[in-house]
Amino acid sequence: MTLTQILFFLPAAALVAASPGANNLLAFSNGARAGLKAAAFGLTGRCLAFALMIGMVIVGLGALLEASELAFQIIKWVGVAYLAWLGFKMIRDSAGPAPTDSSPAASGPGLARREFVVAMTNPKAVLLFTAFVPQFIVSGSGASFTTQLIVLGGLYIAIEFVAALGWALAGAIIRALRPSAHRMMMVNRVS
């Protein structure tokens, strides 16, 4: 690994990690519905999913997706269907009261499970570790592909956690403003 390699990777990873998408909108929604502490705990589910994805790429997921258009399409459309279902559920459920801090839906473990499932089924997340991170791996740099993927993947997970924490904080700020039920419904629908 070279310093130049890492210096090119860090800003690119920060830009990808901070961009709006299913995972970050979920962190925002979790912060708005359950508060920063529960949303931050929930992010452990996303980090675990990303670590699992790195392991899957190491054992051959990247090669499988590169070789099989069908496998990639299946993963992509299962993810799209799940994300669409989640979005529909948020719109439908948004008319009801938001869960309280003591409800199972607002608990840290409950949020972590949801973050894990969203991360594992998000096509963008799959592409992140099969296409984005490997672009920064340099052959002949003295470190193996696996070592570089683990280091860069670990750096990405740390950057992702910080960026997602920012999204959760934004949601928690909205929660602290105590919006009306109608405004909270609008936040959920936009999310």
Side-chain angles (χ1 to χ4, degrees):
M1 303 273 320
T2 67
L3 180 59
T4 304
Q5 181 182 9
I6 292 172
L7 290 176
F8 276 111
F9 177 74
L10 291 176
L15 186 63
V16 170
S19 68
N23 293 95
N24 285 336
L25 291 176
L26 179 59
F28 175 80
S29 178
N30 289 343
R33 294 173 61 92
L36 182 60
K37 185 177 177 182
F41 184 86
L43 292 175
T44 60
R46 183 188 314 187
C47 294
L48 179 63
F50 283 179
L52 185 61
M53 283 184 193
I54 292 168
M56 290 174 9
V57 169
I58 289 169
V59 298
L61 175 65
L64 170 68
L65 294 178
E66 201 172 295
S68 173
E69 178 70 22
L70 178 62
F72 176 73
Q73 290 298 326
I74 288 170
I75 289 172
K76 180 173 89 170
W77 287 107
V78 165
V80 167
Y82 178 72
L83 294 174
W85 175 80
L86 247 181
F88 174 75
K89 186 174 180 225
M90 282 188 75
I91 289 171
R92 192 190 74 220
D93 292 348
S94 64
T100 63
D101 286 332
S102 61
S103 75
S107 70
L111 298 179
R113 277 190 298 280
R114 182 177 252 182
E115 284 274 0
F116 179 85
V117 172
V118 168
M120 287 301 291
T121 59
N122 185 348
K124 178 183 165 189
V126 173
L127 287 173
L128 179 70
F129 295 107
T130 59
F132 174 73
V133 173
Q135 290 181 46
F136 295 91
I137 292 175
V138 178
S139 60
S141 68
S144 70
F145 173 86
T146 300
T147 300
Q148 290 182 68
L149 185 61
I150 290 169
V151 170
L152 293 175
L155 283 172
Y156 183 83
I157 291 171
I159 291 167
E160 177 80 18
F161 183 83
V162 171
L165 204 53
W167 281 90
L169 176 61
I173 289 169
I174 287 177
R175 176 188 169 94
L177 297 174
R178 300 186 191 277
S180 67
H182 176 71
R183 286 192 175 149
M184 195 63 198
M185 178 178 69
M186 295 309 295
V187 167
N188 288 339
R189 287 186 175 171
V190 168
S191 295

